[in-house]
Amino acid sequence: MNGTGGQPVSPPEAVRWAADGGVDILDQTLLPETERRLVLWSADEMIEAIRALRVRGAPAIGIAAAMALAVEAVQHVDLVAGAFAAAVSDAANRLSAARPTAVNLAWAIHRAMNAIDAGSTNVQAIEALHREASRILDEDRAMCRRIGELGVSLLPDGARVLTQCNAGALATGGIGTALAPVYVAAERGHAVEVWAPETRPLLQGSRITAWELERAGVPVTVLTDSAVAALLGQSKIDLVIVGADRIAANGDVANKVGTYALALLARAHDVPFYVAAPTSTLDAGTPTGAGIPIEMRDPDEIRRGFGRLTAPAAVRVFSPAFDVTPAALITAIITERGILRPPFGDAVGLQVRDSERERERP
Ligand code: MRU
């Protein structure tokens, strides 16, 4: 029996409604030392939280931004209709642009804005924004569960899984994407273990993935990013599963920097390389990975990494937050709608169309 004892996992929620109507997030910058929740009341507070990675992970920032838009709209309820619409649309634009790479952010805000019927009163618009944000959260929870149920078929008994960054519960509204098959395997009493590279510079692997897996009772080992080749060279890994911030129409995948290196190393060692993501991460409008905007991080995250100088104070730094893994290196993409295998062809676009059609059905 695995660490969860075959029981359903109940990981902490990255984002939820606060009882008094704000947006309640777990401040992930403080993990694993401190577990502190914050309640946010405006678009500006949420933009700060997204940029600082207090809330992070592609699905979670989309959900959190949609919820913040609803909360922000409440602040403007007494404005005349035109001014109210302008204030909400300004907040929507600013929230969408808080981070550039994860398509879920703009996708969720677009969905929320589209939920407002033309001619709505301010109160009706606010209700529509709240309803749609709750729907996005609920759907994401269900998508994570489905990704887990589909993805678990790819895990041999005793699976040794290598991941990157955190694509677990704390990056989503549910049990994660890359970690969802791991949680489902553990719930079913199968042996499974995870290897988590630190994920420099902000250590989402060692601070967050290791924390949430330990909490769920799933065995986890942390390694430095530079130890990944040695690990694969020692045949200690059965498969790699990572999440995604955006998947282009041809199957190229943007994810946390270091993912591309993992994919190259997995190919060199004949280890399958899987990407797990909900359809909200598919971007049929971007033909290839070359069109995905890559966020560059503040150089001081590298120069002053651990509260002290970790490089010369003014040295030039190259710090992309994400990289792009070419589709050719990907064994399969697991979404809530199925497992896509290469050549991906029109599969990404078809899944986007199917999920939109399903949502439009009365
Ligand atoms: O910079 P972060 O921590 O937001 O980066 C997160 C990742 O790269 C995740 O792998 C990705 O968003 C998928 S989360 C299900």
Side-chain angles (χ1 to χ4, degrees):
M1 187 68 68
N2 201 265
T4 69
Q7 295 301 307
V9 289
S10 58
E13 293 158 290
V15 54
R16 64 188 183 205
W17 291 114
D20 47 4
V23 187
D24 174 333
I25 61 164
L26 180 65
D27 185 348
Q28 297 187 35
T29 60
L30 304 177
L31 293 174
E33 283 168 330
T34 307
E35 207 176 320
R36 183 178 305 150
R37 304 202 69 96
L38 301 172
V39 178
L40 310 182
W41 289 100
S42 68
D44 282 339
E45 283 179 7
M46 183 57 77
I47 290 166
E48 187 282 331
I50 289 173
R51 290 203 173 129
L53 274 55
R54 298 185 201 289
V55 57
R56 45 148 300 284
I61 60 176
I63 296 162
M67 291 166 81
L69 184 61
V71 167
E72 171 79 21
V74 174
Q75 320 284 339
H76 304 293
V77 65
D78 294 329
L79 295 179
V80 295
F84 171 82
V88 171
S89 140
D90 173 62
N93 291 337
R94 288 184 300 109
L95 280 161
S96 275
R99 288 186 82 187
T101 304
V103 73
N104 309 60
L105 188 52
W107 171 89
I109 291 294
H110 182 74
R111 250 187 84 168
M113 291 297 281
N114 271 356
I116 303 175
D117 287 331
S120 298
T121 63
N122 294 358
V123 170
Q124 286 167 337
I126 288 167
E127 283 168 358
L129 289 172
H130 274 89
R131 230 181 358 256
E132 196 64 15
S134 296
R135 236 180 241 153
I136 292 170
L137 172 61
D138 292 346
E139 284 174 20
D140 191 68
R141 189 173 296 133
M143 288 193 281
C144 289
R145 175 57 56 184
R146 187 76 191 125
I147 287 170
E149 283 163 358
L150 287 169
V152 75
S153 65
L154 302 169
L155 269 54
D157 195 29
R160 299 163 303 172
V161 178
L162 176 65
T163 190
Q164 173 71 353
C165 191
N166 173 264
L170 288 180
T172 66
I175 58 169
T177 58
L179 296 189
V182 169
Y183 283 131
V184 171
E187 285 176 358
R188 293 182 182 174
H190 302 164
V192 58
E193 65 172 292
V194 174
W195 292 71
E198 281 178 309
T199 315
R200 285 278 291 137
L202 297 177
L203 304 172
Q204 290 93 327
S206 52
R207 289 191 307 104
I208 302 174
T209 295
W211 180 78
E212 73 162 77
L213 288 170
E214 266 201 359
R215 205 172 175 277
V218 176
V220 55
T221 306
V222 166
L223 58 151
T224 60
D225 299 323
S226 26
V228 166
L231 179 75
L232 285 161
Q234 290 175 24
S235 306
K236 287 188 188 297
I237 293 299
D238 298 303
L239 68 158
V240 181
I241 315 183
V242 297
D245 283 79
R246 191 186 294 232
I247 302 180
N250 72 339
D252 290 350
V253 168
N255 190 50
K256 178 53 58 191
V257 67
T259 300
Y260 179 26
L262 244 63
L264 288 165
L265 287 166
R267 176 59 57 92
H269 292 91
D270 211 15
V271 168
F273 182 90
Y274 298 109
V275 175
T279 43
S280 54
T281 303
L282 305 181
D283 180 6
T286 296
T288 71
I292 299 177
I294 299 293
E295 174 185 0
M296 298 303 288
R297 296 295 300 179
D298 180 345
D300 275 344
E301 290 175 351
I302 306 262
R303 293 188 295 222
R304 297 169 189 277
F306 300 93
R308 51 161 288 200
L309 273 188
T310 43
V315 75
R316 276 184 299 159
V317 162
F318 173 64
S319 186
F322 303 98
D323 60 24
V324 176
T325 299
L329 294 174
I330 297 168
T331 309
I333 299 174
I334 312 157
T335 77
E336 79 282 5
R337 305 191 76 83
I339 299 180
L340 306 177
R341 304 239 173 214
F344 297 111
D346 290 338
V348 167
L350 288 173
Q351 286 216 350
V352 172
R353 276 199 293 283
D354 286 351
S355 62
E356 278 167 1
R357 247 185 247 131
E358 192 171 286
R359 209 175 312 117
E360 279 157 16
R361 235 178 268 147

